[in-house]
Amino acid sequence: MKKAVISLFALLAGTGFAIAGDAGCDAFKWPVTREQALFPAAPAAQSGAALTVGQATNFALAAVDTISFEVPPGHTQAAGTFGATASVTVPSEGELQFSLSDEAWIDVVQGGHAVKSAGFSRAKTCPDIRKSVRFKLSAGPATVQLSGARKADLKMAVLTPE
């Protein structure tokens, strides 16, 4: 009987953990369920990759001091951190949402200038997604700059907001 009670407790504890994990992602200001679905199968990419709206990418980042940024990052870069650049074609004027699997600074550049973010949300309790940032952009090309990452890999989804 004692073994059954311990097994039941372990089962209930596991269920509680799953609920707590899901609740952690609910801390975002907007849903991140699409990112959760895209991240596990995100294809690998290097700095300089072309991004597609509606997809995620698993970046192999490089030492931040080896990256040529179009404009200086909007945040001071600590030594020993990682970064990347990428291009994206904004399909029509409006917002794009960039969600990251871990801490990193993100700048989006259009017309030679960094675009100020239109919204930001972070949740340290979500197991797969750390932050999501929205930018109001014009249709056409844009450069995404990632910097200040503490790890050499980072997943990023580029989506239109729900």
Side-chain angles (χ1 to χ4, degrees), residues 17-123:
F17 178 75
I19 292 169
D22 291 343
C25 296
D26 288 341
F28 280 99
K29 293 177 185 174
W30 46 76
V32 293
T33 52
R34 294 180 298 163
E35 292 88 329
Q36 289 174 307
L38 290 169
F39 277 0
Q46 302 289 325
S47 187
L51 305 174
T52 302
V53 176
Q55 296 183 357
T57 303
N58 187 3
F59 275 103
L61 305 176
V64 75
D65 58 353
T66 66
I67 304 293
S68 295
F69 293 111
E70 187 175 335
V71 300
H75 185 70
T76 303
Q77 303 308 301
T81 60
F82 301 92
T85 61
S87 62
V88 64
T89 299
V90 181
S92 61
E93 187 168 324
E95 285 189 345
L96 283 185
Q97 177 175 305
F98 298 84
S99 298
L100 307 177
S101 63
D102 210 339
E103 292 292 331
W105 186 261
I106 182 168
D107 292 296
V108 178
V109 180
Q110 270 195 322
H113 301 286
V115 177
K116 184 178 177 183
S117 67
F120 172 89
S121 189
R122 175 186 296 172

Side-chain angles (χ1 to χ4, degrees), residues 28 100-103 122-126 128-131:
F28 280 99
L100 307 177
S101 63
D102 210 339
E103 292 292 331
R122 175 186 296 172
K124 292 189 176 196
T125 56
C126 185
D128 300 320
I129 303 164
R130 182 67 64 213
K131 71 191 280 185

